[in-house]
Amino acid sequence: MKKTVKTSRVAGQLEKMYRLLNARFFNGELPEVVISLKKTVGAYGHFTCNKVWQAGDERRYEINISSATLSRPIEETCATLLHEMCHCLAAEKGIKDTSGSGNFYHNRKYKEIAESHGLCVEKHPKYGWTITSPGLPLLDFIEEQGWQDLQMCEAVSLWDVIGTLPKGAGNGTATKTKKPSSTRKYICPCCHQSVRATKAVNILCGDCMEKMEPAE
């Protein structure tokens, strides 16, 4: 499987995907955007409703893909990119596709746009029609492009997640960190049988009727 790890390379690949998805699902109607890679808490990506970037003589929207989620299967990353592209289409056509406090609620207009552009949509109880997954048209397109063999990844640390990456950290290589276990182990002092619990408990060994002791 081909891996894309450097930030510049990942952004370049996403820009290429954007253009090909634009041609396939939007007839090339969407404008050029700036693809950014920033850690976002609680979201796979976002779209700026205003053209916040200056590129030469023109202004551009930004689509961000959370780099903390790049290790997902490529079809999920593509679905996120296409999700944000649907917001771009709505912005270009003046369609109000979100509402509510902070414009986080994805309304039925968004659902209609997404479902007609290669996505499957489910309703979130709080944020509306925002749960998107790749539909068959998108999956077929990914296979046509050979993207199924592409895996993007980036080093992720606690500092990445909270958005305060220290200078020099994050070298663009995949890393894994082991989470501490939330279970506790108890051992019978007589027969040495053991059990595990997710919290502190008082427990007896059923064979010896002795109180089991926490393991060191």
Side-chain angles (χ1 to χ4, degrees):
M1 178 178 288
K2 180 181 178 183
K3 289 190 176 182
T4 299
V5 293
K6 290 185 179 296
T7 300
S8 58
R9 197 177 301 161
V10 171
Q13 181 64 41
L14 288 170
E15 288 173 357
K16 176 183 177 182
M17 289 178 171
Y18 175 90
R19 295 185 183 105
L20 291 170
L21 290 169
N22 186 16
R24 169 63 178 81
F25 291 99
F26 301 91
N27 296 317
E29 294 180 7
L30 299 185
E32 283 290 303
V33 301
V34 172
I35 303 286
S36 66
L37 293 167
K38 293 176 285 190
K39 277 75 177 177
T40 54
V41 178
Y44 294 129
H46 68 252
F47 168 76
T48 60
C49 296
N50 298 311
K51 295 182 177 182
V52 296
W53 285 86
Q54 185 72 41
D57 296 329
E58 64 178 19
R59 304 285 296 179
R60 292 184 180 180
Y61 300 108
E62 175 187 320
I63 288 180
N64 176 69
I65 303 297
S66 178
S67 54
T69 68
L70 288 174
S71 60
R72 295 184 300 154
I74 192 63
E75 60 267 21
E76 298 297 332
T77 299
C78 285
T80 296
L81 179 57
L82 197 58
H83 176 118
E84 305 308 335
M85 292 173 72
C86 289
H87 284 306
C88 185
L89 179 68
E92 282 290 284
K93 292 186 175 295
I95 299 172
K96 179 73 171 172
D97 65 341
T98 58
S99 54
S101 178
N103 282 325
F104 290 129
Y105 189 89
H106 291 51
N107 57 36
R108 284 193 172 274
K109 290 181 179 178
Y110 178 80
K111 170 180 161 61
E112 292 170 4
I113 293 172
E115 288 183 337
S116 62
H117 290 86
L119 292 171
C120 294
V121 185
E122 296 180 56
K123 191 174 186 180
H124 186 282
K126 184 176 181 180
Y127 300 115
W129 300 99
T130 186
I131 304 174
T132 48
S133 57
L136 286 177
L138 178 56
L139 292 173
D140 288 343
F141 185 71
I142 290 170
E143 187 173 354
E144 289 170 14
Q145 299 300 317
W147 292 345
Q148 69 273 17
D149 295 325
L150 179 66
Q151 176 64 64
M152 300 177 183
C153 57
E154 183 180 81
V156 178
S157 70
L158 174 61
W159 295 109
D160 293 329
V161 175
I162 63 177
T164 54
L165 182 64
K167 184 178 181 181
N171 58 5
T173 57
T175 59
K176 291 184 179 180
T177 56
K178 185 177 180 180
K179 295 182 179 179
S181 174
S182 62
T183 63
R184 298 165 175 81
K185 185 177 181 179
Y186 292 85
I187 299 175
C188 174
C190 293
C191 67
H192 303 293
Q193 290 196 79
S194 64
V195 296
R196 290 186 179 272
T198 57
K199 61 180 181 178
V201 294
N202 289 316
I203 187 170
L204 295 177
C205 173
D207 293 330
C208 307
M209 298 307 293
E210 291 286 337
K211 182 178 179 180
M212 302 185 81
E213 301 171 349
E216 295 295 332

